[in-house]
Amino acid sequence: MNLKTINNVYFIGIGGIGMSALARYFMANGKQVAGYDKTVSDITKALEDLGIDIHFNDGITEIASKFLNKEDTLVVYTPAIPNSHSELTYFRNNDFKVLKRSAVLGEITKQTKCLAVAGTHGKTTTTSILGHLLNFCNEPVTAFLGGISENYNSNLILNGTEVTVVEADEFDRSFLTLSPDLACITSMDADHLDIYGDASELIKSFKDFSECIKTNGKLFVKNGLPLEGITYGVEDDSDYSAQNVRILNGSYLFDVQTPNGLYKDFEFNLPGRHNLSNAIIALAMAVDYGCSHNQLAKGLASYKGVKRRFTYQIRTDDFVFIDDYAHHPEEINAVYQAVREMYTNKKVLVIFQPHLYSRTKDFVDGFAESLSNFDEVLLLDIYPARELPIEGVTSKWLLEKIENPCKKLISKSELIDEIKLSSAQIILTLGAGDIGEEVKHIKEAFSLAN
């Protein structure tokens, strides 16, 4: 498919984080863009500010006539949209070009030099570091991010169209549409078992992804994963590794061991060894791409992070409030380790909203174990997203498994009062559901108090 011949792009589910980045991309490339979403959000408002027409009722009569010409309109949809959706049904029944978001991304990567980041954890942060580094080195890059970059206040970095940096998403195997020149795999922990059935199928799909790399392309893998590739790690014997790691004023200082020698004095401002690992693979790919070490060191020091990835909402000497997207036991463990490394002896309260009934069912013991590490636990009801309830799978069931006397199941309306009752100096909100909407209320209540 030649994307250059298409004038109009219509998005069904335009408010999704990945969909909205594509909408911005096409808008920046001079296309007419419009779309549907179920609800108004900060993302849809930002798109409307760019001049994109968005409506929130499912109906063909809502769509401008120019997007109903099948000869020069591309329709992009997200897998979160049900097959019963009337607009999606109309476009399919009338022979429009209708593609999933991942397929469109696949077409873009075929026509560019592509750097792809895969893995069950760390994709969004790694992609945003890599996109930022290439942009800082003034490469002609477009980076599609699965989160809002703090540096750009956007999920799209646009400095040219010859190079693309993309998240390679394993959900519903959509990363198999990509054609990367350089790719990395950060992790292959069991997840999305509602799609894959069991962990062996998930691992097989990562192996399939590694075979999507273009001829003469390269695969980078986290040291220890069961795949052949260029390895990376932290303070180990990987091809690329962080060495001489120390912490100064809440930032990491370290040296980078590469196949061509040791490069000294890199600075990175995100807490947590998992984030340091993400920085190392982004550096490795940028070095292989051809960026200079001096520029990369400056670029990394200027990197600010991604919203809802260990984001400091309040940071005073006696009260810290951090928000994070963690929604898998391994991610919760990574956040816990980061907090403990930064705040060794302080009391930590975690507020967790489980995401999906199926994920809660599949990993209930892992969730219970990871949450038991914190000093206090407040649990919210499960956020269902695309799912119907599963009998017996509830937050109460998870709560019973958490081995911690200071634990409680609460409603969102009780959140602020419960935090006020706690003597914890570190407050964490974790989860991938709508807990992010509560963050602003908590910040407001405790900014005044502090």
Side-chain angles (χ1 to χ4, degrees):
M1 184 179 71
N2 187 351
L3 295 172
K4 289 179 180 147
T5 62
I6 286 161
N7 294 322
N8 308 317
V9 190
Y10 185 79
F11 288 85
I12 306 177
I14 196 166
I17 195 77
M19 291 281 278
S20 58
L22 264 185
R24 286 173 178 273
Y25 171 79
F26 282 118
M27 190 79 178
N29 278 280
K31 310 293 185 191
Q32 300 285 323
V33 177
Y36 156 87
D37 207 87
K38 194 162 65 172
T39 49
V40 177
S41 66
D42 290 343
I43 289 176
T44 60
K45 286 175 190 163
L47 293 177
E48 286 176 315
D49 288 344
L50 291 175
I52 296 174
D53 186 32
I54 301 173
H55 60 267
F56 302 92
N57 296 313
D58 172 17
I60 298 304
T61 54
E62 301 270 356
I63 303 171
S65 59
K66 62 187 163 196
F67 295 96
L68 299 175
N69 175 2
K70 68 181 178 187
E71 301 308 321
D72 63 356
T73 298
L74 169 66
V75 179
V76 187
Y77 72 100
T78 165
I81 295 290
N83 283 325
S84 58
H85 193 275
S86 71
E87 292 182 15
L88 184 57
T89 304
Y90 173 86
F91 287 121
R92 281 175 168 161
N93 289 347
N94 287 280
D95 298 327
F96 278 73
K97 294 182 198 78
V98 181
L99 293 176
K100 260 202 294 201
R101 181 190 73 88
S102 55
V104 176
L105 212 46
E107 287 297 328
I108 293 169
T109 63
K110 283 184 188 124
Q111 296 166 34
T112 58
K113 185 175 177 79
C114 173
L115 288 71
V117 177
T120 43
H121 323 298
K123 285 190 294 293
T124 298
T125 301
T126 305
T127 307
S128 76
I129 299 170
L130 181 55
H132 174 65
L133 291 176
L134 293 183
N135 184 61
F136 190 89
C137 296
N138 204 27
E139 298 298 334
V141 65
T142 299
F144 297 94
L145 313 179
I148 304 297
S149 158
E150 297 278 10
N151 286 81
Y152 304 92
N153 198 30
S154 176
N155 51 356
L156 184 74
I157 301 171
L158 192 59
N159 191 43
T161 54
E162 291 169 39
V163 185
T164 46
V165 174
V166 299
E167 280 190 37
D169 191 358
E170 76 282 359
F171 174 72
D172 78 356
R173 298 178 171 84
S174 62
F175 60 176
L176 301 183
T177 63
L178 302 176
S179 302
D181 295 87
L182 301 178
C184 75
I185 297 175
T186 63
S187 48
M188 299 191 321
D189 294 306
D191 199 3
H192 303 303
L193 298 186
D194 53 327
I195 303 285
Y196 285 99
D198 65 53
S200 65
E201 278 298 306
L202 180 73
I203 289 167
K204 179 181 176 297
S205 81
F206 277 105
K207 287 182 174 163
D208 292 342
F209 168 70
S210 71
E211 288 161 15
C212 295
I213 296 169
K214 290 174 190 164
T215 313
N216 302 323
K218 292 179 186 173
L219 176 67
F220 296 77
V221 295
K222 178 89 179 282
N223 200 353
L225 291 180
L227 282 173
E228 290 293 312
I230 300 163
T231 56
Y232 74 94
V234 175
E235 294 186 311
D236 61 11
D237 60 354
S238 301
D239 299 313
Y240 288 85
S241 72
Q243 298 291 343
N244 188 25
V245 179
R246 55 255 187 233
I247 294 172
L248 183 66
N249 300 329
S251 297
Y252 285 115
L253 298 177
F254 61 98
D255 304 331
V256 181
Q257 183 67 55
T258 77
N260 299 319
L262 184 73
Y263 295 90
K264 294 199 164 186
D265 299 329
F266 282 74
E267 179 189 334
F268 184 57
N269 297 310
L270 260 59
R273 291 272 166 145
H274 61 298
N275 280 323
L276 186 53
S277 175
N278 295 335
I280 289 297
I281 180 51
L283 286 169
M285 292 174 82
V287 166
D288 194 280
Y289 173 82
C291 296
S292 83
H293 296 90
N294 286 343
Q295 281 294 92
L296 289 175
K298 287 179 196 164
L300 190 66
S302 70
Y303 176 75
K304 294 178 186 170
V306 178
K307 285 183 179 166
R308 297 218 66 226
R309 303 303 193 280
F310 212 97
T311 303
Y312 283 102
Q313 299 290 338
I314 300 173
R315 195 177 187 177
T316 67
D317 289 342
D318 48 11
F319 188 84
V320 174
F321 171 31
I322 296 162
D323 177 44
D324 194 278
Y325 188 72
H327 56 284
H328 183 283
E330 290 301 325
E331 293 168 351
I332 295 171
N333 285 333
V335 170
Y336 176 75
Q337 285 158 6
V339 166
R340 276 285 162 252
E341 190 175 39
M342 293 295 162
Y343 304 102
T344 315
N345 299 313
K346 293 197 171 177
K347 190 173 181 182
V348 183
L349 163 66
V350 66
I351 301 151
F352 179 58
Q353 181 189 47
H355 183 259
L356 299 179
Y357 296 105
S358 59
R359 185 181 277 126
T360 306
K361 175 174 166 281
D362 291 334
F363 303 112
V364 67
D365 292 328
F367 280 124
E369 195 178 320
S370 61
L371 292 168
S372 297
N373 289 323
F374 296 92
D375 298 302
E376 291 179 42
V377 182
L378 293 177
L379 204 56
L380 298 173
D381 281 330
I382 296 169
Y383 182 78
R386 54 187 179 268
E387 293 184 337
L388 294 170
I390 298 171
E391 193 176 343
V393 178
T394 62
S395 286
K396 185 172 181 291
W397 177 50
L398 169 56
L399 188 79
E400 285 164 1
K401 288 177 172 280
I402 294 170
E403 293 181 8
N404 185 329
C406 301
K407 61 181 182 179
K408 195 171 183 183
L409 179 61
I410 63 164
S411 66
K412 282 189 259 182
S413 61
E414 298 172 286
L415 255 176
I416 289 167
D417 287 340
E418 288 291 340
I419 297 169
K420 283 177 178 170
L421 292 174
S422 169
S423 60
Q425 297 132 301
I426 317 292
I427 310 296
L428 296 172
T429 44
L430 305 183
D434 61 1
I435 189 170
E437 295 301 308
E438 302 305 313
V439 169
K440 55 188 95 163
H441 305 308
I442 298 169
K443 183 176 182 177
E444 214 168 84
F446 289 92
S447 292
L448 296 173
N450 286 279

